[in-house]
Amino acid sequence: MLPVSDLLEIVTTKKDGNDVSNNAPQRFSAVGTASPVIIWNVCGHCNMTCPHCYAVATKAPSAKDLSTEEGLRLIDDLADNGIKVVIFSGGEPLLRPDLLELIQHAKSRGLFPQLSTNGVFITESKAAELAKAGIGYVGISIDGLPSFNDAYRGLEGGHDLALRGLQNSKQAGMRTGLRITLTARNADHLNPMLKAAQEVSADRFYVSHLLYSGRGFKMSNEDLGRDKTRSLLGDLFESAEQLLNANSPTRIVTGSNDSDGPFLLRWIQERFGADAALPVEKLLRERGGNSAGEKILNITHKGNVHPDQFWRQQTLGNVRHETVAEILANPFRQDLAQRATKLTGRCSTCRYIDLCRGSHRERALAEHGDHWASDPACVLLDTEATG
């Protein structure tokens, strides 16, 4: 029989929509006992113009970026407060001239540095430099086949350069992930991109649901909708089973919609029976659903701290003016720790509330103007959520 614990690793959503390597420290623990993963947007500019960019990246660098000195102090403060994982993101982080210095310092302080990038600047020599500096995992975003991707993301040749960057990263010894953000525009590219991930032996094929944040705030009408999303998830689950049975090195992960977890649980129940689903439910419960603001925090290029990289309307502090310890003590983090008691609408009565915890608050805010309202992108039917 299919080992369901492996299938859970393959297809369930990761912590909060972030592609984090398996060599990072364990994060299945309650708020207050686990150090949050930090996503640091080290710059606010990019060479691409993706329509779903949560950071609304500009073409030109910003004079408001944290300086090298500020960045090094921030890393020290993070390390002193028990932070273990830092994901260097952007904008495009490889446009920051001192990136390697920051990565090296993070590694020297005992952190696990990882990289979120569009991949086009990762030549063989750059990959070797990144690996030597301490990067353990590289997540590279590609949103479809060449002609679509290059027009969509605003860079001619971007698809091929990104795939080459992924291959160079793999050859340099780093774990790799190929990521796609699904919308109605590129849903037909899902299977071809999974095939591309397999062809380059990517460790992960990371499928992100659309979040209505940044430029993506205006894209809610391009979300797939529940029926199409459920269909694609079912196909992904079957693909994950096939990859597992074929001993493929590529694992499928979904992100940015925690209702995927309960949907997977029901899929396991229907396919393998109630007994097979028990360890899956246990692991989902340990995972704890969405943990924005608890086990994940975002630091922008200006030093603002948010519960996650998409939830820019809620600020917990600024590292230029407050210490990491002060920011970690922000009372709103405790509100988030108790979110299951604060959620309204369908989420408040959902039978899977402990496994999902309402999914993403920024989608609720964008759709309903209330961060405690139900996530409009939940994939469960009403009868499944309350039955």
Side-chain angles (χ1 to χ4, degrees), residues 206-280:
Y206 185 88
V207 181
S208 178
H209 297 269
L210 178 67
L211 277 157
Y212 318 149
S213 175
R215 292 194 196 114
F217 184 82
K218 299 179 179 180
M219 294 180 65
S220 61
N221 63 334
E222 295 185 25
D223 211 346
L224 288 172
R226 183 176 293 160
D227 290 345
K228 181 65 173 179
T229 300
R230 287 167 64 93
S231 176
L232 288 178
L233 284 174
D235 292 343
L236 280 174
F237 295 165
E238 291 185 4
S239 295
E241 181 184 354
Q242 293 166 6
L243 291 175
L244 181 63
N245 290 336
N247 294 317
S248 169
T250 302
R251 295 291 183 258
I252 297 175
V253 183
T254 73
S256 300
N257 194 329
D258 299 81
S259 66
D260 286 0
F263 189 65
L264 168 66
L265 177 63
R266 297 182 66 90
W267 185 85
I268 292 285
Q269 289 170 336
E270 293 173 4
R271 196 174 184 89
F272 301 106
D275 289 344
L278 290 176
V280 177

Side-chain angles (χ1 to χ4, degrees), residues 38-330:
I38 302 298
I39 302 170
W40 179 13
N41 303 110
V42 294
C43 64
H45 62 294
C46 185
N47 58 317
M48 291 187 175
T49 55
C50 304
H52 51 67
C53 178
Y54 68 83
V56 195
T58 60
K59 283 289 188 177
S62 171
K64 297 181 180 181
D65 289 356
L66 296 180
S67 67
T68 300
E69 182 180 352
E70 288 174 321
L72 295 173
R73 282 202 307 267
L74 171 60
I75 290 168
D76 286 336
D77 201 4
L78 293 172
D80 290 343
N81 281 276
I83 302 300
K84 297 299 182 185
V85 179
V86 175
I87 303 173
F88 290 86
S89 186
E92 171 46 53
L94 287 166
L95 289 174
R96 180 159 175 144
D98 61 355
L99 180 65
L100 289 174
E101 181 180 357
L102 296 174
I103 294 169
Q104 289 167 347
H105 190 60
K107 185 68 174 179
S108 73
R109 288 302 315 268
L111 302 178
F112 293 78
Q114 307 196 18
L115 185 66
S116 178
T117 172
N118 62 40
V120 303
F121 296 117
I122 305 182
T123 61
E124 287 186 23
S125 59
K126 180 59 70 175
E129 291 175 346
L130 290 167
K132 183 178 180 181
I135 292 292
Y137 180 85
V138 178
I140 292 177
S141 297
I142 307 175
D143 282 320
L145 294 170
S147 59
F148 173 85
N149 177 84
D150 296 358
Y152 188 69
R153 297 177 67 88
L155 182 68
E156 186 175 354
H159 173 279
D160 293 345
L161 287 170
L163 269 186
R164 190 174 306 162
L166 195 151
Q167 291 172 307
N168 291 336
S169 299
K170 184 81 174 178
Q171 291 170 1
M174 295 176 285
R175 288 174 55 80
T176 57
L178 190 162
R179 302 181 313 211
I180 180 172
T181 298
L182 275 183
T183 71
R185 283 200 248 175
N186 67 350
D188 291 342
H189 294 253
L190 183 61
N191 286 332
M193 294 314 299
L194 172 56
K195 183 178 180 181
Q198 293 175 257
E199 288 174 348
V200 297
S201 297
D203 296 285
R204 287 183 174 174
F205 179 60
Y206 185 88
V207 181
S208 178
H209 297 269
L210 178 67
L211 277 157
Y212 318 149
S213 175
R215 292 194 196 114
F217 184 82
K218 299 179 179 180
M219 294 180 65
S220 61
N221 63 334
E222 295 185 25
D223 211 346
L224 288 172
R226 183 176 293 160
D227 290 345
K228 181 65 173 179
T229 300
R230 287 167 64 93
S231 176
L232 288 178
L233 284 174
D235 292 343
L236 280 174
F237 295 165
E238 291 185 4
S239 295
E241 181 184 354
Q242 293 166 6
L243 291 175
L244 181 63
N245 290 336
N247 294 317
S248 169
T250 302
R251 295 291 183 258
I252 297 175
V253 183
T254 73
S256 300
N257 194 329
D258 299 81
S259 66
D260 286 0
F263 189 65
L264 168 66
L265 177 63
R266 297 182 66 90
W267 185 85
I268 292 285
Q269 289 170 336
E270 293 173 4
R271 196 174 184 89
F272 301 106
D275 289 344
L278 290 176
V280 177
E281 182 175 3
K282 180 176 182 292
L283 287 170
L284 283 170
R285 196 171 299 280
E286 290 175 350
R287 174 190 174 273
N290 188 276
S291 60
E294 301 170 75
K295 300 176 190 175
I296 181 171
L297 292 171
N298 168 240
I299 302 173
T300 71
H301 67 107
K302 298 178 181 179
N304 291 324
V305 181
H306 305 291
D308 66 28
Q309 71 272 36
F310 305 102
W311 195 353
R312 296 297 176 94
Q313 298 93 329
Q314 185 69 44
T315 301
L316 304 177
N318 185 290
V319 298
R320 279 185 164 130
H321 311 301
E322 297 156 278
T323 66
V324 169
E326 289 170 335
I327 291 168
L328 291 176
N330 188 296

Side-chain angles (χ1 to χ4, degrees), residues 344-362:
T344 62
R346 196 173 76 146
C347 286
S348 66
T349 59
C350 180
R351 63 188 295 189
Y352 299 109
I353 191 169
D354 293 338
L355 308 185
C356 172
R357 300 177 76 227
S359 194
H360 278 261
R361 302 295 83 220
E362 51 271 44

